[in-house]
Amino acid sequence: MTASSANAARPFFSEPVGVMWKTVSEDCNLACDYCYYSTCGGKPGKKIDRIDDRLLETFIQSYMDMNGGVASFAWQGGEPLLAGLDFFEKVVALQARHAPPNTVISNALQTNGTLITDRWAAFFSRYRFLVGVSLDGPREIHDLRRRDAAGKGSFDRVMRGIDCLRRHGVDFNILTVVHKGNVGKAKELFEFYERENFAFVQFIPCMKFHSQRTDEPGIFEITPQEYGDFLCEAFDCWYNGGEPVISERFFDNLLSVYAHREDELCIHRGRCPKTVILERNGDAYPCDFLIHPDWKLGNVGTDSLADILANPQYERFSRMKPELAPQCRECRWLSLCHGGCPRNRSWESGFVASGASGPDYFCQSYRRFFAYAHERMTELADKVRARLFRQGVLARCNGKPPGRNDPCACGSGRKFKNCCIGLRL
């Protein structure tokens, strides 16, 4: 069989499919009291239960056969570094062995940062891993909640790990859980990020439910009022007089939507992205917040990816996002929010594929914030679009503006008449 006929026969995914693998299941060396997943209390045991080698290769090979040239892996835990450097060396070797020519492979890893050494950092740098490091703010905030089993704070260990990443030029971002200890301190957090030269951050509101307990309502430690106040204060810091210097994922994504792009955050997209969440043993689920037998799609050690994605439970999950509450369908901000996360809504009969749902737990927060930021976001997005338009005219239009019905030079994918034609360029 020739290469061209082999490619024609390969059953590619109709759209990119991302993979998140719980590398060591719940094993973790920290005992953060707000963790939505791990229940080991910072005591993982002498033997770490990591992904089986045979299962790892079986999945990587099948995933590469169907990915259509783009393979996206996210490694989480527990604490994924407990799997050992040899495990991840095996991962990249298998990816290289089974990837078709010209495949774009990306690896992202989320860690508490305490186990990062120069050896780890050198590996991440060589294979271009994007590393997310959990850090809740300066020492007095971080150590309130992110402690080990002995009750000792982890701040100094995390900062040492970050120093290793910097020495080796690793791309990393900071993941900050917003909880009762820092929800009123957005300005203090931004001052800390600036002081430490953290250029990329993401805020994650603290949950009061576990991903394995789908019977628990999607509620959070902080109130909608507190989170709304936090977002407004944080936005003022991020906006920086119209010249943002720190990238914060939620605000950056919102700016992209104002600039006629699609939101990258699953919470505020029109539909949930195609992703498979894998437990250490290969069990597959549609969402990181639905790790429960009721939502199991199959097992990648015994079932094909095509069969897993065709499972009726996946279709059931996919229908939940557009099942909007009446107040959402009539909301001014629907195009920015899209009803939020289905896991954070209230449902008449638990998680169902049809029937009425209530609004997202943080609906009040988002409505307040969108109104607060709208004028400045519009102005900032116009500046961004104008800059992209000018660049596009030079790069793609031979220096001449596009026609009304041509694709807009800013790269949004819209026609010029429906995009930048009214901008002051």
Side-chain angles (χ1 to χ4, degrees):
M1 181 179 291
T2 66
S4 58
S5 61
N7 288 338
R10 183 179 290 128
F12 291 143
F13 296 130
S14 59
E15 60 182 293
V17 176
V19 175
M20 178 192 293
W21 210 327
K22 302 288 189 178
T23 317
V24 292
S25 192
E26 297 186 31
D27 286 349
C28 187
N29 63 320
L30 291 187
C32 308
D33 63 0
Y34 55 57
C35 187
Y36 75 97
Y37 178 71
S38 178
T39 59
C40 76
K43 298 178 180 179
K46 294 182 179 180
K47 184 179 184 300
I48 300 298
D49 291 324
R50 71 184 194 184
I51 301 165
D52 176 76
D53 290 351
R54 184 176 298 177
L55 175 65
L56 181 69
E57 181 161 17
T58 296
F59 172 75
I60 289 178
Q61 182 173 9
S62 63
Y63 181 49
M64 290 296 186
D65 283 343
M66 297 180 67
N67 65 34
V70 177
S72 173
F73 296 83
W75 306 95
Q76 292 193 9
E79 173 47 55
L81 299 196
L82 289 173
L85 185 56
D86 64 311
F87 170 82
F88 284 99
E89 288 173 336
K90 189 168 300 180
V91 164
V92 295
L94 291 171
Q95 290 172 341
R97 180 186 304 169
H98 295 296
N102 302 315
T103 297
V104 177
I105 302 172
S106 65
N107 285 286
L109 182 143
Q110 184 172 335
T111 173
N112 61 40
T114 61
L115 302 178
I116 298 174
T117 62
D118 280 308
R119 285 191 64 209
W120 274 110
F123 171 83
F124 293 144
S125 177
R126 179 179 181 184
Y127 294 103
R128 299 183 180 179
F129 273 57
L130 173 63
V131 179
V133 181
S134 295
L135 184 64
D136 285 356
R139 178 183 285 101
E140 62 274 15
I141 294 176
H142 178 90
D143 283 349
L144 283 173
R145 311 291 291 272
R146 301 193 64 82
R147 304 179 179 183
D148 59 24
K152 185 178 180 181
S154 58
F155 179 83
D156 289 336
R157 284 173 281 175
V158 176
M159 296 301 287
R160 284 196 294 270
I162 290 173
D163 286 343
C164 292
L165 297 178
R166 282 176 161 158
R167 276 197 297 274
H168 292 270
V170 178
D171 289 334
F172 72 93
N173 52 42
I174 299 298
L175 308 174
T176 295
V177 175
V178 183
H179 50 69
K180 288 292 187 183
N182 60 11
V183 70
K185 301 178 179 179
K187 184 177 179 181
E188 185 176 339
L189 290 176
F190 268 87
E191 289 172 346
F192 170 68
Y193 302 146
E194 291 176 4
R195 190 165 61 248
E196 296 295 339
N197 293 316
F198 293 144
F200 300 92
V201 301
Q202 178 183 353
F203 297 125
I204 305 170
C206 184
M207 306 168 192
K208 285 186 71 175
F209 60 89
H210 286 85
S211 60
Q212 301 94 324
R213 294 289 306 275
T214 56
D215 59 319
E216 295 178 340
I219 59 176
F220 291 73
E221 179 178 284
I222 55 177
T223 68
Q225 178 67 45
E226 288 174 324
Y227 192 44
D229 291 345
F230 175 85
L231 288 175
C232 292
E233 183 183 359
F235 176 77
D236 288 340
C237 299
W238 172 85
Y239 184 72
N240 191 44
E243 299 291 338
V245 294
I246 292 178
S247 169
E248 196 288 315
R249 192 179 182 191
F250 175 67
F251 300 145
D252 287 1
N253 272 264
L254 185 60
L255 179 60
S256 293
V257 176
Y258 271 84
H260 299 170
R261 270 72 175 168
E262 185 177 27
D263 201 318
E264 174 259 340
L265 272 174
C266 62
I267 293 176
H268 296 306
R269 296 182 67 169
R271 61 190 182 93
C272 296
K274 207 81 166 180
T275 305
V276 177
I277 312 300
L278 302 178
E279 270 284 9
R280 176 194 58 80
N281 64 357
D283 286 347
Y285 302 89
C287 175
D288 193 24
F289 298 147
L290 299 176
I291 310 296
H292 187 275
D294 288 349
W295 289 96
K296 182 179 173 181
L297 305 173
N299 185 288
V300 294
T302 57
D303 302 305
S304 72
L305 272 174
D307 287 343
I308 285 172
L309 293 172
N311 188 300
Q313 288 291 71
Y314 210 112
E315 176 61 25
R316 175 189 173 202
F317 167 76
S318 299
R319 289 199 302 265
M320 291 172 62
K321 179 75 168 177
E323 202 67 54
L324 298 173
Q327 58 264 52
C328 294
R329 292 193 293 269
E330 300 169 0
C331 181
R332 173 189 178 186
W333 308 111
L334 178 59
S335 62
L336 301 180
C337 174
H338 293 287
C341 177
R343 181 64 179 91
N344 300 346
R345 302 178 193 164
S346 58
W347 295 82
E348 285 184 343
S349 305
F351 289 108
V352 294
S354 62
S357 75
D360 187 288
Y361 175 86
F362 287 120
C363 174
Q364 173 190 336
S365 318
Y366 297 138
R367 285 189 288 112
R368 179 172 177 233
F369 169 69
F370 293 147
Y372 182 80
H374 176 67
E375 183 176 342
R376 283 179 286 174
M377 271 295 187
T378 300
E379 293 174 356
L380 188 56
D382 285 350
K383 288 170 56 178
V384 170
R385 290 165 56 206
R387 174 174 52 81
L388 292 174
F389 183 87
R390 289 191 292 268
Q391 292 173 350
V393 166
L394 294 174
R396 296 187 291 273
C397 303
N398 297 319
K400 298 180 180 180
R404 286 175 54 82
N405 291 309
D406 291 335
C408 187
C410 78
S412 68
R414 298 185 180 189
K415 291 183 178 180
F416 180 41
K417 66 181 181 182
N418 296 325
C419 193
C420 291
I421 196 168
L423 279 182
R424 298 176 62 181
L425 301 169

